[in-house]
Amino acid sequence: MAIAYDPSRKTFYLEGDRFSYIFRVNEYGYLQQMHYGAKIGREDISYAAFQFWRGFAPAFPGAKNDWDSLDTMAAEYPGYGRGDFRRGALLTVDNQGRRTEDLKYRSHVIVREKPALTGMPSLRGGESLIVFLRSRTLDVELYYTVYERENALARRAVIKNRLDGDVRIQRVCALSLDLPDADYDMITLYGKYGGEGQIERVPLRHGLQTVYSCRGASSHQYNPFMALARKNADEHTGEAIGVSYIYSGNFEISAERTQFETVRVLAGFPSADFRYTVARGECFHTPEAVTVYSDAGLGRMSRAFHDLFRDRLINPVFAHTPRPVVFNSWESMGFDFDTEKLFAAIDACKDTGIELFVLDDGWFGKRDDDTRGLGDWRVNTKKLCGGLPPIIERCKVNGLKFGLWFEPEMVNPDSDLYRAHPDWCLRVPDVEPCLCRNQLVLDLTRSEVVEYLQNSVSSILQDNDIAYVKWDMNRHITDAYSAALPPDRQQEVCHRYILGLYELIGRLTEQFPHVLFEGCSGGGGRIDPGMLAYFPQHWASDNSDAIDRTRIQYGLSLCYPLSALTGHVSAVPNNQVGRVTPFATRGIVASNVSFGYELDLTDLSEEERNLMKRQIGDYKRIAPLIANGDLYRLKDPFTGNDFVFEIVSKDKNEAVVSFVQILGVFSVPIRRLRLQGLDEHKTYFVEETGLTLSGKTLMGLGLIMPCERGDFQAAVYHLTSKA
Ligand code: GLA
C-alpha cells in the first residue's frame, strides 16, 4: 500500500520506493504538510510541527497559542486572507465580494483505481487518495496519486461551489508544497523560438520566483517544469524535486523563499489574467501536476519522469516502440514543390532506410507562401496533380509510409474559411486583431469550430493512407476574446481554448489510434506533458544546427523522454545559424532522439549517401534504447565544451555513448569518461575500441574520449554485454 492513514494521529503517509510525503489534519482541522523527501518510517512526527512566537503572524480564531498562525504553518493547500501572507493556492470571490476562506478537513477516501479526470490529460493508474475540505462557500477535493517505482506524486484539485450564487476563481493551483528549508537551487528551462530547453540554475532568493506563460500555449520561453536541487546536488548525487505541470496553456510555477527560510512551490494557472466563474452546484477541475523526488541527483529525477511519461502518459501504441526514420520536406523545399519534385525526393529515399516521407506545409488551399490558405484543408490539385494518392502510391512503391503536415488551430485572413466565418477566430469586438505569421487563432472554445476541424482533418486521414500527422501551431494567442462567451467569462478564454484543443486532438487520436501524431509549435513551443498525452513525439526546435541541438536536447531531457523529441539531419551551412558541422556529427546528435532527415537528398554526394545509410542503420540499432532506455547525462554542453549522453538498456545488456566536442582544443587533455548505470558484474564489448571491459572498470575508470582536431567533432560507442 502506497497510501496509509493513521486515524490516531490523523496523519496521511504517501510513499514511493524512496520518498515519503506526509501531512496531517491538525487539531484545528487544517491540513498541515509535515514532510516531503527521503523515505522515513510511519512514525509520529508531530514534533516536527514545533512552533514558537514570531511577530506579525496573525493567530486564527480559536487558536490556543498566539503563535498558532497560518503564516508559519506548512500548509497543504493554502488559501488567502486568514493570515498566511505567502502566495496561496486558491483565491475565490463570492457574489458578495468575500474572499476569505478557512478550508478545513471533512473526510477522505483511499482508492485503488485512480479517479478519471475528464477533458484533460492525466497520468494513468496508481493508488489514489482524495481529501475532502470545506469552507463557507466551497467544497474542495484534493487528489493524490502515488507512483511508487518512479517516486512520483500526482496532484490536482476540484473546486465546487456550494453557494446559492456564482463564485469566481481568481487563482487556483494543482499543487502546493511547503518545504521546511530553503537550501535549494532553482532549475528552470527557458528559451526562445529556435532556442528551447535552455537550463538555468540559480540559488533561490527571498521572494517569489516564477516561470509562466500568458501566451495561450506552454511556450518556447518557459517550459512548465521546475526543479529544486540541493546546492550540492549534481547529475548523479544529491536531492532534487522536479515539478511538471500536465497542461498546454497558460501556467505559472513558482517558488517562494520566505522570511523563515522555508520554500513554497505552487503549480497552477497564472495569477494575472485568469478568472473562472463557477456557477451554483458546479465544479472546476484543475489540471494535474506531478512531482518527482530523487535522492540521486538530476539524472535519477529525469529517468523517473521519462519512465512515468512513457508508462503512464504517452499513447501505449507508441510509448515503447522505436519511431520511424523520417524524411521531412520543409527545410529543402518549403512551399516550392509539385508532384514531380516530390516524386524525385521520394525516389531518393529508396534503399536508404528512411521509413516515412513527410509532406510539410504547402499542400492545401492556395498555400504557396505563408500569407494564405490556412484553414482550407483541401489538397491543392493545381500543385499536386491528382491529389495525394499518386504521392502516397509512389511512397508505397519505394517502401515508405506517408505523413502530412497540418496547422488546424489557425486561419489566414486570406482563406475561404475566414471569408465564410470571420467570427470563428479570437478577436476583441471593434478592435483590429494582431497578426503573427499572417495568421489568426481559431476560437477553439466553440464546439462548431472543433467540429469543423475534426471533420477537416479526419476526412483527409480517412480518404488517404496516412501513417503520421505533424500538428503545428505557429503563433501565440492575442486578442483572447470569444464571440461565443458573455463579457464576464472572457478571462476563461485561454483555458477553454485548451479544453477545446484537448477535445479535438482527443477525438482525432481516438479515431486514428495508429496514426503517429508529432506535435510542433514553431519547433518546441508546446512541448509539455499535456500534449505528450496525445502526441508521442515533438519537433524539438526549428533550429536544426547540431551544436545548438546538443543544448536544446540536453535541456529538454531534464523532463522529457528522448523518444518524445525529434531531431533531423539538415543541410550545411545550417539554415538557421549558418554553421557548418560534419555530416557524421549531425547524424550523431539527431540520432539521440527520434530521428530523421530534412535536406535535399537528390543533392547528396555518393559518400554522404553511404554515410547516411550507415547512420540510419546505426540509429535503428539504438532506437530501442532511445524508446526504452535509461539516460545518463555525462557531459553538460551548457557548462563545458563537451556533450555526452549515455543510454543504457533496462536490462543493462546494451549501452550507447554519444560524444560531441564543441570547439577544437589545442593540446587537448586526455579525457577519461566514467560511464554510469552499467552492471558492474557484466563484461561489455566496446565495439569502436575493440576492448572488452567489465562494467566495474567502465564505471570506475571509463572510456578514453577521442582527441580529434577541429570543431564539432563527434563519436559514438556501442557497448554490448558479453555475459
Ligand atoms: C513551423 C515548423 C516547421 C515547418 C513550418 C511550416 O515553423 O516548426 O517545422 O513545419 O512551420 O510552415
Side-chain angles (χ1 to χ4, degrees):
M1 292 283 281
I3 301 175
Y5 177 67
D6 181 334
S8 66
R9 302 178 196 135
K10 293 194 173 167
T11 300
F12 296 92
Y13 299 89
L14 287 73
E15 293 167 354
D17 290 351
R18 307 174 84 94
F19 83 93
S20 296
Y21 181 91
I22 303 173
F23 63 97
R24 69 170 184 177
V25 183
N26 73 11
E27 57 180 315
Y28 302 106
Y30 293 114
L31 287 190
Q32 185 172 13
Q33 229 166 63
M34 301 294 287
H35 171 74
Y36 181 36
K39 192 162 182 174
I40 58 175
R42 288 184 189 172
E43 295 165 50
D44 180 2
I45 54 165
S46 52
Y47 69 92
F50 163 76
Q51 283 296 348
F52 60 93
W53 183 85
R54 289 177 278 186
F56 280 78
F60 42 79
K64 289 187 190 135
N65 312 294
D66 66 350
W67 58 77
D68 285 337
S69 170
L70 296 184
D71 205 28
T72 50
M73 194 182 96
E76 188 56 25
Y77 197 69
Y80 278 85
R82 301 293 285 164
D84 184 345
F85 297 111
R86 295 162 286 184
R87 170 77 54 96
L90 178 66
L91 174 57
T92 57
V93 187
D94 72 13
N95 53 0
Q96 294 179 41
R98 292 180 297 188
R99 289 178 295 165
T100 47
E101 296 278 345
D102 263 331
L103 273 177
K104 295 214 175 166
Y105 171 83
R106 289 189 74 209
S107 62
H108 72 271
V109 52
I110 296 172
V111 289
R112 278 286 161 125
E113 285 288 303
K114 184 181 183 187
L117 170 60
T118 38
M120 278 183 282
S122 59
L123 298 164
R124 294 184 287 267
E127 194 180 325
S128 300
L129 162 72
I130 309 161
V131 181
F132 301 92
L133 307 174
R134 174 162 278 188
S135 72
R136 185 175 40 79
T137 56
L138 305 172
D139 277 330
V140 172
E141 298 170 3
L142 302 180
Y143 287 72
Y144 300 81
T145 304
V146 176
Y147 298 95
E148 293 172 78
R149 202 166 34 86
E150 298 88 352
N151 293 297
L153 178 64
R155 290 176 58 185
R156 65 184 177 91
V158 177
I159 316 302
K160 283 190 184 171
N161 176 3
R162 46 190 293 267
L163 264 193
D164 254 356
D166 289 351
V167 164
R168 206 173 63 206
I169 301 177
Q170 290 200 179
R171 179 169 170 73
V172 63
C173 290
L175 72 76
S176 174
L177 283 178
D178 271 354
L179 302 170
D181 71 81
D183 188 23
Y184 292 99
D185 285 340
M186 179 181 78
I187 299 171
T188 52
L189 297 174
Y190 74 97
K192 59 184 174 188
Y193 171 63
E196 299 80 345
Q198 306 296 299
I199 295 179
E200 190 153 64
R201 179 172 181 158
V202 293
L204 277 181
R205 59 166 178 76
H206 291 93
L208 202 61
Q209 36 244 286
T210 69
V211 282
Y212 74 99
S213 167
C214 56
R215 295 167 172 268
S218 47
S219 89
H220 310 79
Q221 286 69 17
Y222 305 108
N223 199 270
F225 163 82
M226 179 184 284
L228 293 186
R230 290 294 186 191
K231 294 196 174 297
N232 63 359
D234 58 19
E235 271 297 304
H236 315 297
T237 58
E239 280 188 313
I241 293 171
V243 182
S244 171
Y245 190 44
I246 307 178
Y247 189 65
S248 310
N250 292 347
F251 74 92
E252 186 171 282
I253 304 181
S254 61
E256 181 175 3
R257 178 170 172 180
T258 72
Q259 55 182 337
F260 302 125
E261 304 305 336
T262 63
V263 182
R264 173 167 291 170
V265 178
L266 297 168
F269 290 97
S271 16
D273 202 25
F274 172 85
R275 300 286 181 275
Y276 208 99
T277 302
V278 187
R280 180 184 170 193
E282 288 187 347
C283 297
F284 179 84
H285 295 254
T286 72
E288 188 171 73
V290 60
T291 58
V292 161
Y293 170 77
S294 163
D295 54 6
L298 297 169
R300 177 170 286 165
M301 176 200 74
S302 297
R303 290 187 289 281
F305 275 123
H306 299 174
D307 284 341
L308 192 68
F309 292 164
R310 288 186 297 210
D311 295 345
R312 310 281 191 167
L313 188 68
I314 299 175
N315 177 355
V317 175
F318 299 103
H320 296 282
T321 314
R323 308 294 162 74
V325 180
V326 162
F327 170 85
N328 180 295
S329 66
W330 179 247
E331 280 207 20
S332 58
M333 293 183 208
F335 298 102
D336 178 22
F337 55 81
D338 56 20
T339 306
E340 285 311 312
K341 204 166 168 184
L342 292 177
F343 280 174
I346 293 166
D347 293 348
C349 294
K350 192 178 178 179
D351 296 332
T352 57
I354 288 174
E355 296 163 301
L356 176 75
F357 183 90
V358 177
L359 177 54
D360 208 281
D361 198 353
W363 57 268
F364 53 90
K366 296 201 175 95
R367 187 82 171 163
D368 290 327
D369 55 41
D370 67 10
T371 62
R372 72 198 90 182
L374 280 179
D376 299 339
W377 300 107
R378 291 176 311 274
V379 181
N380 179 343
T381 45
K382 271 200 191 137
K383 221 170 177 178
L384 303 179
C385 189
L388 295 176
I391 299 162
I392 296 177
E393 191 46 41
R394 191 73 160 218
C395 284
K396 281 194 182 148
V397 170
N398 284 287
L400 299 168
K401 291 185 171 166
F402 179 73
L404 201 57
W405 181 94
F406 288 89
E407 193 179 353
E409 298 160 68
M410 301 292 155
V411 64
N412 286 126
D414 186 359
S415 68
D416 294 342
L417 179 67
Y418 185 78
R419 282 182 281 272
H421 298 285
D423 58 325
W424 273 14
C425 62
L426 295 173
R427 60 184 304 170
V428 183
D430 307 322
V431 177
E432 197 178 328
C434 302
L435 286 173
C436 187
R437 209 189 186 206
N438 312 301
Q439 60 200 54
L440 296 168
V441 185
L442 286 172
D443 182 356
L444 265 62
T445 73
R446 299 175 71 150
S447 54
E448 64 272 37
V449 176
V450 169
E451 202 81 16
Y452 167 82
L453 294 175
Q454 188 195 353
N455 292 336
S456 307
V457 177
S458 67
S459 69
I460 304 243
L461 298 187
Q462 255 152 7
D463 295 347
N464 299 284
D465 194 354
I466 292 175
Y468 159 109
V469 165
K470 178 173 171 188
W471 184 292
D472 214 335
M473 193 260 193
N474 277 315
R475 64 159 291 177
H476 290 140
I477 292 179
T478 58
D479 307 282
Y481 190 104
S482 166
L485 287 171
D488 62 338
R489 285 194 175 264
Q490 292 302 329
Q491 280 181 296
E492 299 175 14
V493 163
C494 285
H495 179 50
R496 288 177 180 270
Y497 178 93
I498 294 295
L499 294 180
L501 172 67
Y502 288 152
E503 175 68 28
L504 173 61
I505 60 183
R507 286 191 210 166
L508 286 167
T509 48
E510 216 172 284
Q511 201 180 347
F512 302 98
H514 297 285
V515 171
L516 173 61
F517 282 76
E518 176 161 327
C520 178
S521 174
R526 211 165 46 183
I527 297 181
D528 59 65
M531 295 310 285
L532 210 50
Y534 303 92
F535 300 164
Q537 60 188 47
H538 292 259
W539 180 227
S541 181
D542 266 4
N543 183 346
S544 62
D545 170 64
I547 298 306
D548 283 354
R549 275 296 191 119
T550 61
R551 285 184 280 267
I552 292 168
Q553 292 168 194
Y554 187 103
L556 290 172
S557 80
L558 280 191
C559 188
Y560 304 100
L562 296 177
S563 56
L565 310 172
T566 61
H568 296 167
V569 173
S570 60
V572 288
N574 175 267
N575 273 318
Q576 295 82 33
V577 301
R579 195 172 356 247
V580 178
T581 51
F583 196 81
T585 302
R586 280 174 273 154
I588 288 172
V589 173
S591 62
N592 269 302
V593 292
S594 294
F595 183 56
Y597 288 83
E598 193 155 340
L599 73 178
D600 185 357
L601 297 184
T602 62
D603 196 33
L604 290 185
S605 68
E606 197 53 33
E607 192 194 337
E608 282 173 327
R609 217 176 147 75
N610 287 333
L611 191 52
M612 174 179 168
K613 286 185 200 171
R614 259 184 284 136
Q615 262 173 8
I616 294 175
D618 282 348
Y619 170 74
K620 286 185 180 170
R621 269 183 68 188
I622 66 165
L625 291 184
I626 309 277
N628 298 304
D630 284 329
L631 171 67
Y632 293 85
R633 288 176 295 251
L634 302 186
K635 291 282 174 194
D636 177 353
F638 288 97
T639 55
N641 192 39
D642 299 332
F643 159 92
V644 180
F645 267 7
E646 179 197 5
I647 312 167
V648 183
S649 64
K650 288 278 178 200
D651 62 9
K652 298 185 185 294
N653 282 336
E654 267 182 278
V656 61
V657 179
S658 309
F659 165 86
V660 180
Q661 172 181 290
I662 293 171
L663 291 178
V665 180
F666 177 64
S667 278
V668 65
I670 310 294
R671 289 160 295 186
R672 291 185 181 187
L673 183 79
R674 291 170 65 174
L675 302 189
Q676 299 245 346
L678 302 175
D679 182 338
E680 59 178 31
H681 303 297
K682 285 184 176 156
T683 329
Y684 295 86
F685 176 59
V686 187
E687 206 172 296
E688 288 71 13
T689 64
L691 296 171
T692 299
L693 295 164
S694 67
K696 203 166 189 165
T697 299
L698 285 163
M699 292 192 289
L701 187 157
L703 292 173
I704 305 296
M705 291 296 97
C707 304
E708 298 293 332
R709 279 164 61 86
D711 296 341
F712 322 131
Q713 298 301 311
V716 68
Y717 299 90
H718 297 85
L719 282 74
T720 26
S721 153
K722 286 278 194 180

